[in-house]
Amino acid sequence: MAAKLSVSSVRVDALLLAWRDGASPGPDEAALAWLRGSGDVQALETEAALAAIEVATRLALGERVAQASEARDKAVRKAARAAAHRLRSQGHSLPEVQLSTSFTLGAEVRVLPSAQALIGLPEEDGYVPYLISTHGPEESCVSGGAAGPIQGFRDEDHGHASRSQVRRIMQDAKIPHRMHELDLPLALAVVEGAFRASGRGQPPGWSHMLSHVEPAVLKRVRELDPFEGLPTRLELDLLHDLEPLRGEAWAMGMDLGQEAMIEAAQQAVSVIGESAGRSDDERRAEIARLVDAVANAQFDEVRRSTWTWSMNVAALLAARQGQVAVANLCRANALAMAEGMAGADIPWVREQANVIISSLADLLIQQTRVQFPTD
């Protein structure tokens, strides 16, 4: 009998994985539901209840352990009371449980902190950083990473922390990473839009983070178009005033490929170094043609798809901050990209190529002067 009632490490590991990463717990869906605060411990078969109690102990879910300590099943009750002793010896407090026709928690009313969502400006590959926190009765979750419509997500991370730690994490991310707070449904619609576009699915732990969000909120997320309120017609004049994106708060840089940029810079240095045969105007025109060619070639379909989406995100963030000029310029760029305009015809894209080539060319010239000093 003792062997039959022992805790199965396989079931415990499966439940832990399901709790933390949203994986399937196999046959123990009811046990997972009970761990998350729904369901009845009385309805669990003994081995499932024992595995759930072990998981509750490892996660310090005091309310679940306290509830199980009043179970009708003697083996479950004994395991729960041993678990309660372990938790108390580790410094955890357990609530009192009142027993009636069903097992319920005491009448304590707790107000959970509000979920919080931060979305940042696009990084050089066009992927947009995100950081989202939600709170359940037993734990707080933080999910973060970078989202984009090609790969879906990268650098994803999901973890649990105390509420004070979560508040500190969210606050510390805002200024240095230029992240802006959005309403949770809007932020989820933005990020999940990238996940869907990639066809890759959701990152590990995402569904667990969402388990603390009200179903009505999630339903609204699925119906929401986050870019619906942005302008729908391309104003070509807006593309040519790049000043709103040159300030530190809203500046963005596009990675156009290191090898291609170095090769273009070397060609530019060769043009600059020609001592005869061309005037200065002709050389400038040749370098301009070089920049145009690189902007067109390097602004490929992957970058176009990524930056169309991320410029829309930047426009949304700017609009929510009341930065009308920034929002209009970003949206105009997104519309121009979506309509298939060549990279050299989109001033912001061309400027990216020009700045990178010019900087690299200057660096190459400086290196040449150091290696071959002139009198």
Side-chain angles (χ1 to χ4, degrees):
M1 180 65 71
K4 180 180 178 182
L5 297 181
S6 61
V7 179
S8 167
S9 61
V10 174
R11 298 181 86 158
V12 169
D13 291 344
L15 278 171
L16 279 170
L17 191 61
W19 176 274
R20 290 171 175 160
D21 297 331
S24 171
D28 288 331
E29 288 285 354
L32 180 62
W34 175 73
L35 284 168
R36 288 182 172 164
S38 61
D40 187 352
V41 69
Q42 309 288 8
L44 301 179
E45 53 97 10
T46 301
E47 292 184 10
L50 293 177
I53 290 168
E54 177 61 23
V55 171
T57 307
R58 295 186 190 184
L59 297 174
L61 305 182
E63 290 177 343
R64 300 280 80 74
V65 171
Q67 188 185 62
S69 67
E70 300 295 338
R72 288 190 295 268
D73 187 316
K74 181 178 179 181
V76 174
R77 190 166 63 247
K78 182 177 179 181
R81 291 176 179 176
H85 177 74
R86 284 168 57 189
L87 288 177
R88 289 191 180 98
S89 68
Q90 295 168 4
H92 300 284
S93 60
L94 275 70
E96 296 294 328
V97 177
Q98 296 178 349
L99 183 63
S100 59
T101 56
S102 62
F103 290 93
T104 61
L105 301 181
E108 177 187 10
V109 175
R110 293 189 295 170
V111 178
L112 298 178
S114 298
Q116 190 177 9
L118 301 176
I119 304 292
L121 293 178
E123 299 177 348
E124 288 190 345
D125 61 357
Y127 279 64
V128 170
Y130 63 87
L131 191 62
I132 298 174
S133 66
T134 60
H135 305 273
E138 302 286 354
E139 61 176 358
S140 295
C141 300
V142 179
S143 289
I150 301 299
Q151 187 178 333
F153 55 86
R154 62 165 174 77
D155 301 333
E156 74 282 354
D157 194 13
H158 173 78
H160 308 109
S162 69
R163 293 170 187 172
S164 60
Q165 288 173 324
V166 168
R167 284 195 298 270
R168 186 166 60 251
I169 290 169
M170 302 298 285
Q171 185 61 38
D172 290 349
K174 285 185 179 180
I175 296 177
H177 299 289
R178 298 193 302 170
M179 300 189 83
H180 300 265
E181 188 165 357
L182 288 182
D183 296 339
L184 182 67
L186 189 58
L188 291 176
V190 167
V191 176
E192 290 196 343
F195 298 163
R196 285 194 301 273
S198 73
R200 189 181 168 195
Q202 298 174 343
W206 188 259
S207 61
H208 178 233
M209 183 270 295
L210 293 184
S211 69
H212 301 314
V213 180
E214 291 292 333
V217 175
L218 294 179
K219 182 176 184 296
R220 182 184 169 201
V221 169
R222 308 311 191 240
E223 299 170 347
L224 187 62
D225 176 3
F227 309 133
E228 184 177 13
L230 298 177
T232 58
R233 189 167 69 90
L234 173 58
E235 298 285 350
L236 289 174
D237 290 345
L238 291 174
L239 293 173
H240 297 279
D241 180 12
L242 301 182
E243 198 59 34
L245 294 184
R246 288 181 176 144
E248 183 178 351
W250 295 96
M252 293 171 277
M254 179 190 295
D255 177 8
L256 287 169
Q258 184 176 16
E259 291 185 9
M261 292 298 102
I262 292 175
E263 181 180 350
Q266 291 170 337
Q267 294 177 35
V269 170
S270 296
V271 173
I272 293 169
E274 290 178 352
S275 58
R278 294 187 184 183
S279 67
D280 288 345
D281 287 343
E282 289 173 330
R283 289 174 184 157
R284 279 192 286 269
E286 179 63 24
I287 291 175
R289 286 191 291 272
L290 173 64
V291 172
D292 287 346
V294 172
N296 287 336
Q298 293 304 112
F299 191 59
D300 56 17
E301 288 308 307
V302 170
R303 290 187 176 91
R304 181 182 299 277
S305 296
T306 301
W307 280 94
T308 298
W309 179 81
S310 60
M311 274 292 182
N312 277 326
V313 175
L316 172 64
L317 295 178
R320 301 285 286 192
Q321 293 293 319
Q323 299 291 326
V324 178
V326 175
N328 288 340
L329 177 54
C330 290
R331 178 60 168 177
N333 273 287
L335 292 172
M337 294 171 182
E339 291 182 10
M341 286 182 63
D345 294 333
I346 303 174
W348 182 80
V349 176
R350 189 187 186 281
E351 181 178 77
Q352 299 299 303
N354 187 53
V355 168
I356 297 171
I357 292 171
S358 299
S359 299
L360 288 174
D362 287 344
L363 181 60
L364 291 173
I365 291 171
Q366 291 298 324
Q367 289 176 341
T368 301
R369 288 174 178 168
V370 171
Q371 294 173 7
F372 303 102
T374 57
D375 295 332

